[in-house]
């Protein structure tokens, strides 16, 4: 789970802002929304975070900052390339100042703080600590090219320490050590510091960050290869009243010769995610079937007009509404969260969705994933959520821009005078919490046509 995320000098965030998912001790309602790893001594972490803000306030930039940080960890750039970052552009002092990220995360019953700061030329700092109540145990810390190690390395033999030192010194200045730890298979030689690998895998498998136009290109393949998954997706779509009775895939006809030229080699459908398959579009994929023949499948939906109508009509995804296609992408995330794994950060969750569907999505996530270590953080413009009694006060955040055009992040919980029974939607819309657009005078439109106020 994500405990905290902070960012500084990135996109519209000039000064450091922190999104904290730690539950407030003053909020007593909905205790099932809180996970305490390791029992009552564990940190109380919220399962849901909802972020509001005007257009261009910086909501999406917070999500993009997470993506930027994750990509720097998982996808290293070439040794001689400048580090891709996005410093705050409206302050000249920020142009050459480092961009800083830090994640505090929970893995099993333990907590880790991993962060780094980067300039365009190099990694300036990088650190990994195990943290918790009364714990701050350094695993490694890096300043430029100088590494310092924690006490846990004291039990290693000299050969392993030497190998670790050589690997650290050989880390390119534009690479994170966390990345090179995987690239150089350090874990195989020094398994005693497996915590580094656990943190890396959290970014690989435990964090999904999605912008509004995100498309899960593996969806058609999963429908093809996993019957239980296909049934679960179909059941969710029926519950949301989409008119879809079931999802499925259908083969497309292609020239075997053309496919063989485009995708040489042998393999099977089960090898799709290795080397033999490709995703040809948002709702298609090509792979070899069990006989080794290359085929292309497309995702389709099956509808039935009246209860007794047979056969069911088949629809291409292009024939479905934007809202239905949006749900197609969100349902797999819901399934994963019901199974208890992962952190999902979704920008503009309400995009193309009716308010009732949005409410149902969030309410059912909270209800049926209770007790599981899954987490959902979303941005939205749907203010009707503020009138829903399934939200805790400490689950709501506001993003706003100041006169300096820098984004700030403020928790609703910081407004201590606000009571949950008050009309939060009304108060937000009148600007009590900030994060709403300032609509300026449009009288100049009349002036163009000789009109006066």
């Amino acid at each position: 789970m994500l405990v905290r995320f902070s960012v500084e000098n990135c996109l519209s965030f000039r000064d450091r802002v922190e999104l904290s998912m730690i539950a407030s001790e003053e909020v007593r309602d909905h205790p099932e929304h809180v996970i305490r790893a390791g029992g009552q001594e564990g940190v109380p972490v919220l399962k849901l975070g909802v972020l509001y803000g005007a257009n261009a306030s910086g909501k999406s930039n917070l999500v993009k900052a997470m993506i930027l940080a994750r990509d720097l960890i998982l996808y290293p750039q070439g040794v001689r390339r400048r580090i891709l970052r996005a410093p705050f552009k409206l302050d000249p002092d920020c142009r050459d100042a480092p961009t800083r990220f830090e994640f505090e995360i929970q893995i099993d019953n333990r907590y880790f703080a991993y962060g780094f700061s980067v300039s365009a030329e190099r990694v300036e700092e990088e650190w990994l600590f195990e943290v918790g109540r009364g714990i701050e145990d350094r695993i490694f810390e890096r300043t430029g090219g100088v590494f310092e190690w924690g006490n846990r390395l004291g039990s290693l033999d000299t050969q392993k320490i030497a190998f670790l030192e050589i690997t650290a010194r050989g880390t390119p200045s534009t690479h994170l050590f966390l990345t090179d730890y995987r690239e150089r298979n350090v874990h195989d030689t020094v398994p005693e510091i497996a915590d580094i690998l656990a943190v890396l895998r959290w970014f690989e498998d435990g964090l999904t960050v999605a912008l509004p136009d995100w498309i899960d290109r593996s969806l058609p393949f999963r429908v093809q290869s996993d019957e239980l998954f296909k049934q679960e997706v179909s059941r969710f779509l029926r519950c949301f009243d989409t008119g879809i009775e079931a999802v499925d895939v259908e083969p497309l006809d292609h020239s075997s010769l053309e496919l063989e030229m485009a995708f040489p080699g042998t393999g099977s459908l089960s090898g799709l995610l290795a080397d033999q398959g490709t995703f040809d579009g948002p709702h298609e994929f090509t792979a070899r079937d069990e006989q080794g023949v290359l085929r292309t499948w497309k995702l389709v939906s099956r509808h039935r007009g009246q209860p007794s109508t047979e056969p069911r009509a088949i629809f291409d995804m292009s024939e479905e509404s934007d809202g239905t296609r949006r749900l197609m992408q969100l349902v797999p995330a819901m399934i994963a969260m019901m199974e208890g794994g992962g952190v999902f950060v979704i920008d503009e969750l309400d995009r193309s969705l009716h308010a009732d569907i949005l409410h149902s999505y969030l309410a059912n996530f909270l209800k049926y994933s209770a007790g599981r270590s899954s987490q959902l953080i979303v941005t939205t413009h749907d203010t009707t959520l503020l009138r829903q009694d399934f939200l805790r006060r400490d689950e709501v955040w506001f993003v706003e821009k100041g006169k300096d055009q820098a984004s700030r992040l403020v928790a609703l919980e910081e407004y201590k005078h606000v009571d949950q029974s008050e009309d939060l939607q009304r108060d937000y819309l009148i600007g009590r919490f900030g994060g709403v657009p300032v609509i300026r005078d449009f009288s100049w439109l009349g002036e163009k046509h000789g009109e006066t106020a």
Side-chain angles (χ1 to χ4, degrees):
M1 299 185 76
L2 178 67
V3 181
R4 293 189 183 94
F5 170 69
S6 67
V7 58
E8 179 180 345
N9 190 25
C10 182
L11 297 168
S12 59
F13 297 100
R14 181 188 62 191
D15 304 317
R16 181 180 181 273
V17 299
E18 178 182 275
L19 174 67
S20 173
M21 296 299 291
I22 298 177
S24 170
E25 295 181 356
E26 298 179 9
V27 180
R28 304 293 184 182
D29 55 332
H30 299 300
E32 70 277 10
H33 294 193
V34 178
I35 295 292
R36 286 182 180 269
Q40 289 304 310
E41 293 302 313
V43 177
V45 181
L46 293 166
K47 289 177 60 64
L48 177 65
V50 181
L51 281 71
Y52 285 95
N55 295 112
S57 63
K59 300 187 308 300
S60 294
N61 282 342
L62 189 70
V63 178
K64 291 175 181 177
M66 286 191 189
I67 293 175
L68 180 58
R70 182 201 60 188
D71 288 354
L72 286 172
I73 295 167
L74 299 182
Y75 310 112
Q77 301 168 75
V79 175
R80 294 183 178 85
R81 290 189 178 182
R82 291 167 63 87
I83 296 175
L84 295 177
R85 64 189 192 112
F88 183 73
K89 287 186 174 182
L90 299 178
D91 185 339
D93 292 338
C94 293
R95 186 178 301 117
D96 298 319
T99 297
R100 185 182 187 277
F101 306 96
E102 184 168 27
F103 295 83
E104 187 175 327
I105 61 177
Q106 175 240 313
I107 302 175
D108 296 328
N109 294 332
R110 301 166 66 196
Y111 300 87
F112 298 91
Y114 172 72
F116 55 92
S117 67
V118 294
S119 62
E121 291 77 23
R122 67 173 189 167
V123 175
E124 302 291 341
E125 296 178 285
E126 185 180 8
W127 60 91
L128 176 61
F129 286 75
E130 182 174 359
V131 296
R133 296 187 186 275
I135 301 174
E136 189 172 315
D137 183 13
R138 179 175 62 192
I139 298 174
F140 76 86
E141 199 167 2
R142 170 189 184 183
T143 303
V146 179
F147 283 76
E148 296 183 37
W149 309 96
N151 295 329
R152 63 185 65 193
L153 296 188
S155 60
L156 297 180
D157 62 46
T158 55
Q159 285 187 328
K160 289 183 177 180
I161 293 176
F163 174 80
L164 199 58
E165 291 281 3
I166 292 171
T167 302
R169 287 198 298 270
T171 301
S173 61
T174 55
H175 284 201
L176 296 167
F177 178 69
L178 198 70
T179 308
D180 266 29
Y181 180 90
R182 177 189 58 185
E183 296 293 312
R184 301 190 184 200
N185 297 317
V186 176
H187 177 71
D188 293 344
T189 304
V190 193
E192 290 84 353
I193 52 174
D195 290 340
I196 299 178
L197 185 61
V199 170
L200 179 61
R201 285 177 174 166
W202 185 88
F203 286 100
E204 289 179 324
D205 305 322
L207 177 64
T208 300
V209 189
L211 294 173
D213 56 356
W214 166 70
I215 292 178
D216 182 357
R217 292 180 178 270
S218 69
L219 181 59
F221 166 71
R222 295 184 67 190
V223 169
Q224 163 75 8
S225 60
D226 188 336
E227 181 64 27
L228 180 59
F229 175 78
K230 180 172 77 173
Q231 292 175 8
E232 286 286 288
V233 172
S234 300
R235 291 179 68 182
F236 271 102
L237 293 174
R238 289 197 297 270
C239 288
F240 285 122
D241 193 29
T242 61
I244 294 176
E245 184 176 307
V247 293
D248 208 342
V249 292
E250 287 203 334
L252 294 176
D253 292 331
H254 284 294
S255 164
S256 298
L257 178 60
E258 290 176 357
L259 286 171
E260 186 62 37
M261 291 174 64
F263 306 100
T266 58
S268 66
L269 185 60
S270 61
L272 171 68
L273 297 182
D275 297 324
Q276 301 304 320
T278 64
F279 299 114
D280 303 319
H283 306 295
E284 298 177 6
F285 73 94
T286 298
R288 294 185 181 275
D289 63 17
E290 299 299 336
Q291 288 72 45
V293 178
L294 277 164
R295 299 187 185 279
T296 297
W297 286 267
K298 67 175 180 178
L299 184 68
V300 297
S301 58
R302 299 185 184 276
H303 292 247
R304 178 183 291 165
Q306 298 180 8
S308 59
T309 301
E310 291 288 352
R312 291 170 287 184
I314 296 175
F315 283 61
D316 286 338
M317 288 299 101
S318 61
E319 298 176 284
E320 296 290 356
S321 70
D322 289 343
T324 297
R325 292 199 297 270
R326 176 70 165 158
L327 276 173
M328 286 265 193
Q329 302 301 321
L330 294 176
V331 162
M334 176 70 86
I335 293 172
M337 290 185 290
M338 293 301 102
E339 294 172 351
V343 178
F344 290 82
V345 183
I346 303 176
D347 191 24
E348 294 187 21
L349 180 65
D350 55 322
R351 181 175 178 178
S352 300
L353 296 184
H354 189 280
D356 288 349
I357 290 180
L358 174 66
H359 300 173
S360 175
Y361 191 92
L362 294 177
N364 283 301
F365 157 68
L366 290 167
K367 180 178 181 179
Y368 293 108
S369 72
R372 297 180 175 88
S373 296
S374 53
Q375 199 173 31
L376 179 60
I377 300 168
V378 304
T379 74
T380 181
H381 289 290
D382 191 320
T383 60
T384 61
L385 285 173
L386 294 172
R387 304 182 66 178
Q388 302 300 311
D389 59 6
F390 64 76
L391 282 183
R392 291 166 53 107
R393 194 173 66 228
D394 53 356
E395 292 172 330
V396 179
W397 294 77
F398 303 105
V399 184
E400 61 177 348
K401 278 187 178 178
K403 293 181 180 180
D404 56 4
Q405 295 299 298
S407 297
R408 295 170 178 83
L409 188 61
V410 183
L412 175 60
E413 181 61 11
E414 293 184 30
Y415 296 89
K416 298 300 182 183
H417 58 285
V418 175
D419 187 82
Q420 187 73 18
S421 62
E422 297 185 37
D423 190 338
L424 299 180
Q425 181 189 25
R426 179 203 62 198
D427 288 348
Y428 171 64
L429 291 176
I430 65 175
R432 187 177 180 186
F433 312 126
V436 292
V438 178
I439 309 299
R440 305 191 186 280
D441 182 10
F442 275 82
S443 60
W444 57 270
L445 287 173
E447 294 170 0
K448 289 179 62 176
H449 303 287
E451 300 175 7
T452 58

